[in-house]
């Protein structure tokens, strides 16, 4: 009995059948009888069903919940003669015109920012910040009865503007204070990216970035490899390659995270590189987070080619969209007060500032610390002397420490005078690999009893580089450190 005959038995049909019925049934009967009906009876209906689904999908109008911004770098826009007048800078990028101010629209902010609800508590604080009472200057202003008066923001703004010689007038209303750099970085990560998004970061980079950015926010870090052949300088080519690689992995890049001066290298980013970074960020419609620590101890004592340039200076001096630039400044580092843990978020993006102020409630600066810092910063003569003296001592220690390493045959990357140096100890490792680097680190820790940071912890692609921080040393202790390193070097030579 054929399949067709069994079907007709279960579902009897009238004896009179039309030609249409026969055209539908015959291919099915051919499947059983083996006369090629498989193709006509199964493949063609499946194909028709697939094309129907494809047609419905393409014609269904559903908005993209989070569309990717279209880069403006490859799009040629009409340029008026007024724009070209006075054009002085030439760009190293391959684009005809700089993407600055190209109108790519606001960069993406995390959906978590929109969930921060305004309440009378925060609205009142905002009004006080906008219109504070002053007996002489603003007698009709809002009087603060909601919480203790906070003068630290204004004092910090004046300190950064003057003492560190950034030549930028910082607006205290754009400042958010946090209990250290780590919470400041985490707050910005929450504000600028959603869970599963990514930041690009030049490598080697500060090992704590993995903790500060990734642990609670769910934001990924994509290293931008820098190599010793280029003196570990960042290149736009490597930056663009890292961005493309992240896109291929399905990651949405929301920003670039930099430390300036670089940690662990100790060298500042050049003015031209900062311009190129803002170009790239505007082209890709992403943010820049610039971590600027140890600025006061470095900016006044470097050689001319290593002069520190703040991202704030770049924003003011060029046609750069300020809403995508966010600066984290470590006040306690410059004042040599690490235990006080005071950092600053500076941003011109009102949405970011408002959300950051609310999240900073989880990392507040204690009232005694605020009072102490306000009193300390108000003494401009003392502060100026402190920063000058601290910078001279750091520079002296840097020169002596690097010179002592060089006498042992250990070369370093020129850092211009920081609290740390980037040393090449690849000649001391048994195998040119991460395993060999870790073995050397264990010897330095357990045999020489010296704690240094291996390059692999900083995501350095070349084994054998170590960060040496001498902030806790005195000049008399430098020979002791070198003698212990020499002891490990002797054991390496004897085994080789």
């Amino acid at each position: 009995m054929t399949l067709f005959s069994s079907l007709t038995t279960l579902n009897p049909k009238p004896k009179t059948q039309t030609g249409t019925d026969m055209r539908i049934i015959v291919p099915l009967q051919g499947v059983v009888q083996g006369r090629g009906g498989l193709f006509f009876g199964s493949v063609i209906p499946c194909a028709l069903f697939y094309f129907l689904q494809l047609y419905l999908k393409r014609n269904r109008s559903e908005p993209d919940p989070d569309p990717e911004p279209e880069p403006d770098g490859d799009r040629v826009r009409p340029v008026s003669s007024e724009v070209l007048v006075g054009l002085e800078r030439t760009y190293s990028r391959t684009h005809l015109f700089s993407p600055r101010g190209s109108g790519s629209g606001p960069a993406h902010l995390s959906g978590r920012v929109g969930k921060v609800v305004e309440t009378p508590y925060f609205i009142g604080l905002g009004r006080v910040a906008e219109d504070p009472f002053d007996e002489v200057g603003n007698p009709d202003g809002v009087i603060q009865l909601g919480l203790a008066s906070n003068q630290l923001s204004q004092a910090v703004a004046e300190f950064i503007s003057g003492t560190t010689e950034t030549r930028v007038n910082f607006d205290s209303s754009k400042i958010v204070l946090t209990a250290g750099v780590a919470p400041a970085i985490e707050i910005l990560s929450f504000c600028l990216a959603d869970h599963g998004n990514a930041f690009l970061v030049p490598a080697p980079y500060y090992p704590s970035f993995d903790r500060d950015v990734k642990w609670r926010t769910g934001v990924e870090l994509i290293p931008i490899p820098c190599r010793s052949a280029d003196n570990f300088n960042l290149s736009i080519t490597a930056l663009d390659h890292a961005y493309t690689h992240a896109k291929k992995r399905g990651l949405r890049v929301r920003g670039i995270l930099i430390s300036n001066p670089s940690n662990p290298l100790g060298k500042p980013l050049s003015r031209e590189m900062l311009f190129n970074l803002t170009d790239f960020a505007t082209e890709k419609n992403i943010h820049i987070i610039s971590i600027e620590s140890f600025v006061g101890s470095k900016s006044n004592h470097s050689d001319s080619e290593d002069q520190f340039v703040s991202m704030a200076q770049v924003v003011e001096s060029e046609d750069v969209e300020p809403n995508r630039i966010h600066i984290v400044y470590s006040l306690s580092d410059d004042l040599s007060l690490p235990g006080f843990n005071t950092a600053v978020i500076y941003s011109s993006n009102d949405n970011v500032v408002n959300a950051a102020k609310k999240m900073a409630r989880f990392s507040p600066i204690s009232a005694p610390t605020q009072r102490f810092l306000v009193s300390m910063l108000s003494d401009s003569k003392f502060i100026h002397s402190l920063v000058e003296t601290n910078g001279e001592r750091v520079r002296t220690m840097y020169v002596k420490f690097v010179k002592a390493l060089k006498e042992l045959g250990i070369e370093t990357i020129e850092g211009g005078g920081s609290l740390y140096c980037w040393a090449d100890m690849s000649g001391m490792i048994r195998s040119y690999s991460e395993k060999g680097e870790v073995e050397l680190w264990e010897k330095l820790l357990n045999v020489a009893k010296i704690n240094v940071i291996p390059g692999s912890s900083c995501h350095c692609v070349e084994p054998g580089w170590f960060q040496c921080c001498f902030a806790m040393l005195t000049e008399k202790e430098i020979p002791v450190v070198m003698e212990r390193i020499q002891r490990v070097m002797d054991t390496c030579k004897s085994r080789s």
Side-chain angles (χ1 to χ4, degrees):
M1 180 187 302
T2 65
L3 177 62
F4 172 63
S5 60
S6 63
L7 289 174
T8 54
T9 304
L10 294 174
N11 300 284
K13 295 280 186 177
K15 293 183 178 180
T16 59
Q17 298 180 349
T18 63
T20 304
D21 297 333
M22 292 303 296
R23 283 196 296 270
I24 297 176
I25 296 174
V26 168
L28 182 60
Q29 186 178 12
V31 173
V32 181
Q33 296 179 354
R35 293 198 297 269
L38 175 62
F39 178 82
F40 295 102
S42 59
V43 175
I44 290 182
C46 291
L48 292 175
F49 179 80
Y50 170 81
F51 284 116
L52 176 62
Q53 294 297 319
L54 182 62
Y55 173 82
L56 294 176
K57 182 178 181 180
R58 288 185 175 181
N59 288 273
R60 185 183 300 121
S61 58
E62 291 184 1
D64 188 357
D66 191 12
E68 278 290 306
E70 181 179 350
D72 292 340
D74 298 329
R75 208 176 343 175
V76 179
R77 298 176 179 272
V79 182
S80 64
S81 59
E82 296 178 358
V83 177
L84 296 178
V85 173
L87 184 62
E88 298 178 356
R89 286 189 75 236
T90 57
Y91 303 99
S92 59
R93 304 295 303 279
T94 57
H95 303 285
L96 182 60
F97 303 110
S98 169
R100 286 185 218 121
S102 60
S104 58
H108 170 88
L109 293 179
S110 169
R112 294 176 280 214
V113 171
K115 295 179 181 179
V116 180
V117 181
E118 289 284 357
T119 65
Y121 174 81
F122 293 110
I123 294 175
L125 295 180
R127 286 291 305 279
V128 173
E130 295 171 0
D131 186 24
F133 169 80
D134 184 83
E135 185 177 358
V136 178
N138 189 20
D140 295 328
V142 180
I143 298 176
Q144 175 63 282
L145 297 180
L147 79 169
S149 176
N150 188 355
Q151 300 173 326
L152 184 56
S153 294
Q154 183 62 41
V156 169
E158 295 176 359
F159 169 76
I160 301 176
S161 301
T163 308
T164 57
E165 297 186 357
T166 55
R167 296 176 292 279
V168 176
N169 292 322
F170 283 80
D171 185 353
S172 60
S173 65
K174 300 177 181 179
I175 284 178
V176 180
L177 298 171
T178 64
V181 172
I185 296 174
E186 185 181 64
I187 287 173
L188 284 177
S189 300
F190 271 117
C191 291
L192 304 181
D194 292 304
H195 189 283
N197 293 165
F199 290 150
L200 303 177
V201 54
Y205 63 78
Y206 184 44
S208 290
F209 282 172
D210 290 324
R211 172 199 64 194
D212 302 340
V213 175
K214 298 169 64 174
W215 279 12
R216 295 200 293 186
T217 68
V219 177
E220 294 294 325
L221 289 180
I222 306 299
I224 309 170
C226 302
R227 303 181 182 276
S228 60
D230 300 322
N231 208 29
F232 288 101
N233 289 321
L234 174 64
S235 71
I236 296 299
T237 301
L239 175 62
D240 191 67
H241 179 76
Y243 180 86
T244 303
H245 177 68
K247 299 287 285 185
K248 289 181 179 178
R249 289 176 52 189
L251 296 174
R252 290 185 172 180
V253 177
R254 298 304 188 188
I256 306 170
L257 175 63
I258 60 174
S259 57
N260 186 28
S262 170
N263 187 352
L265 304 180
K267 56 190 297 185
L269 294 172
S270 67
R271 180 184 295 269
E272 185 64 23
M273 176 51 64
L274 294 178
F275 284 134
N276 289 338
L277 286 173
T278 58
D279 286 348
F280 187 89
T282 304
E283 174 190 336
K284 303 300 183 183
N285 199 21
I286 58 179
H287 297 269
I288 294 179
I289 302 176
S290 179
I291 314 299
E292 300 184 357
S293 299
F294 307 106
V295 174
S297 61
K298 182 175 179 60
S299 59
N300 300 329
H301 304 277
S302 305
D303 298 332
S304 58
E305 62 270 18
D306 285 328
Q307 279 291 325
F308 169 79
V309 179
S310 172
M311 185 61 79
Q313 294 173 250
V314 174
V315 173
E316 281 205 351
S317 63
E318 290 285 330
D319 185 19
V320 177
E321 183 184 352
N323 285 342
R324 69 175 73 250
I325 308 298
H326 318 278
I327 300 172
V328 175
Y329 176 75
S330 177
L331 181 67
S332 52
D333 286 339
D334 265 344
L335 297 179
S336 300
L337 299 171
F340 282 77
N341 287 337
T342 304
V344 175
I345 297 175
Y346 189 79
S347 175
S348 296
N349 192 310
D350 293 337
N351 292 329
V352 171
V353 171
N354 292 334
K357 285 182 177 180
K358 297 173 178 61
M359 285 187 278
R361 184 175 181 84
F362 298 103
S363 58
I365 302 173
S366 67
T369 298
Q370 293 192 39
R371 290 172 180 249
F372 172 80
L373 290 175
V374 169
S375 176
M376 184 178 182
L377 293 174
S378 63
D379 190 345
S380 58
K381 184 178 180 180
F382 167 75
I383 288 296
H384 182 76
S385 176
L386 172 65
V387 174
E388 287 286 332
T389 303
N390 183 50
E392 291 173 0
R393 290 177 178 175
V394 169
R395 180 64 180 175
T396 299
M397 283 293 296
Y398 175 84
V399 172
K400 291 186 176 182
F401 192 86
V402 169
K403 181 181 178 181
L405 286 176
K406 192 170 184 178
E407 291 175 352
L408 293 179
I410 300 175
E411 297 294 332
T412 62
I413 294 295
E414 175 60 38
S418 298
L419 293 173
Y420 38 82
C421 64
W422 189 239
D424 181 10
M425 300 185 187
S426 58
M428 299 169 59
I429 60 178
R430 298 181 62 183
S431 61
Y432 190 72
S433 62
E434 181 178 339
K435 180 180 179 180
E437 177 183 276
V438 173
E439 289 177 351
L440 176 59
W441 169 76
E442 290 176 345
K443 290 180 182 178
L444 291 171
L445 182 62
N446 299 320
V447 177
K449 293 189 177 180
I450 296 175
N451 183 35
V452 292
I453 301 177
S456 55
S457 296
C458 304
H459 298 266
C460 182
V461 294
E462 299 181 18
W465 289 87
F466 291 81
Q467 184 194 40
C468 301
C469 181
F470 44 84
M472 303 296 294
L473 291 181
T474 64
E475 293 185 30
K476 295 181 180 180
E477 293 172 338
I478 293 180
V480 178
V481 173
M482 299 304 147
E483 187 274 331
R484 294 189 177 191
I485 295 177
Q486 181 67 60
R487 191 189 313 164
V488 174
M489 294 179 70
D490 294 338
T491 61
C492 295
K493 291 179 181 178
S494 61
R495 292 187 178 182
S496 60

